[in-house]
Amino acid sequence: MNLQINIARLQREINELALISENRPPVVTRILFSEADLRGREFVKNLCREANLVLREDAVGNIFARWEGADKKLPAAATGSHIDAIPNAGKFDGTVGVLGAIEAVRALKRSGFQPRCSIELIVFTSEEPTRFGIGCLGSRLLSGVLPSKKAASLKDAAGKNLEQWLKEAGCHGTLNSVRLRENVYSAFIELHIEQGTVLEKERIFIGVVEKIAAPSTLRMRLAGVGGHAGAVLMPERHDAGLAGAEISLAVERAALTSGSADTVGTTGVFRIEPGAVNSVPCGARLEIDLRDTQVATRDAALRQIEKAAQAICQRRGVKLEIERLNVDPPAICDPALVKTVSEICRAHRISFKKMISRAYHDSLFMARICPTTMIFIPCFKGYSHRPDEFSSPGQIARGVRLLAETLAVTSG
Ligand code: GLV
Ligand code: MN
Ligand code: MN
């Protein structure tokens, strides 16, 4: 296939989207339904309109942009990713899979290709967990993994629930309408930066994802006893901050001693109340991210963390509430789709490697409802979730071309 990728245009679009941020460049922050996120969504929708794609949005704000195939009754070949960004992020996570997919479609159109089944781009709502503590909100609902009732009850740190946010964002419909019926898609292929160092270290151009690691998230609320930092003597204290600090160390210990080198544990949210230098912390809220490629070692570490937290809080006279926000199995990608992508790489003599994704993606949930794989491109030193995240134009163009060819094969 003779596909011309307009990498200059795509690069410009990536840079433009990066400027739509809650922070000054190079920092990208686009928390779900923030003003920046809403503007980002408009930016992407406009590009889809320009590419003559048919747009629709569901009740949770997932955006679908469709290039109608010759046979509209056939299941569509889908691609996509996310544009929301965690605080202090870079410009490539998710956006390469969204803007890159639009360029893949434009390139296919320019080449004269006509899809037999439709090609659909999905921009998923809230792949990042920042607002509600749970990632992949849109794809969890699409795949039926998250019941709509449970989704409706999700609250952000300020107590505002998802339904209120959706109303303000102009989303219509009921959450139980989001779930897709069976066989809507024949395939889902997500293009993404690797967010690790494997490809760069091994000087390999492409990663073809065979498995996505199993994520889980715990939220802990600690209630201690506050007081004056000068007046309350040390033996009298029930310091929620110190209990939280000990729990964070227990998370590290559980990950290090799980028996699996793939267990990773992070206390990424740690907020203390009231947050005044001369006040003993009366409350703490922790959000803990624990992952592994194997469920057994992940779950054992999860139980160890919960047990340790209970013992720490009991010893310190601090009340503890634990909520399991999500405990997900890993996803196994579709062997036939992995083979298709691998064969295209071979045909073009592009070096590739079958690999595991340690990060989670909407593909984790799309894999439940259709054959799924991911195309990884290298990123500088594996940096991600930080402003200096970087993939070169050449790396991006290679990924987009591969995505376009894979879409052509799966939709042709
Ligand atoms: C996705 O952003 C993840 O945290 O893996
Ligand atoms: Mn991310
Ligand atoms: Mn991502």
Side-chain angles (χ1 to χ4, degrees), residues 268-279:
V269 172
F270 190 152
R271 299 208 172 96
I272 51 173
E273 295 294 331
V277 70
N278 54 354
S279 179

Side-chain angles (χ1 to χ4, degrees), residues 82 93 127-129 195 289 291 358-361 385:
H82 63 100
D93 175 5
E127 191 267 354
E128 301 291 8
Q195 304 179 287
D289 178 307
R291 317 181 187 203
R358 293 180 184 280
Y360 60 71
H361 304 277
H385 284 185

Side-chain angles (χ1 to χ4, degrees), residues 9 13 57 117 127-128 131 145 187 232 266 326-327 331 336 405:
R9 173 174 182 179
E13 289 165 351
E57 268 174 85
C117 71
E127 191 267 354
E128 301 291 8
R131 170 97 47 215
V145 168
V232 184
T266 310
N326 65 292
V327 180
E405 290 210 23

Side-chain angles (χ1 to χ4, degrees), residues 64-81:
F64 304 82
R66 182 170 277 237
W67 178 10
E68 300 275 11
D71 187 345
K72 295 191 181 70
K73 285 197 220 82
L74 289 175
T79 181
S81 196

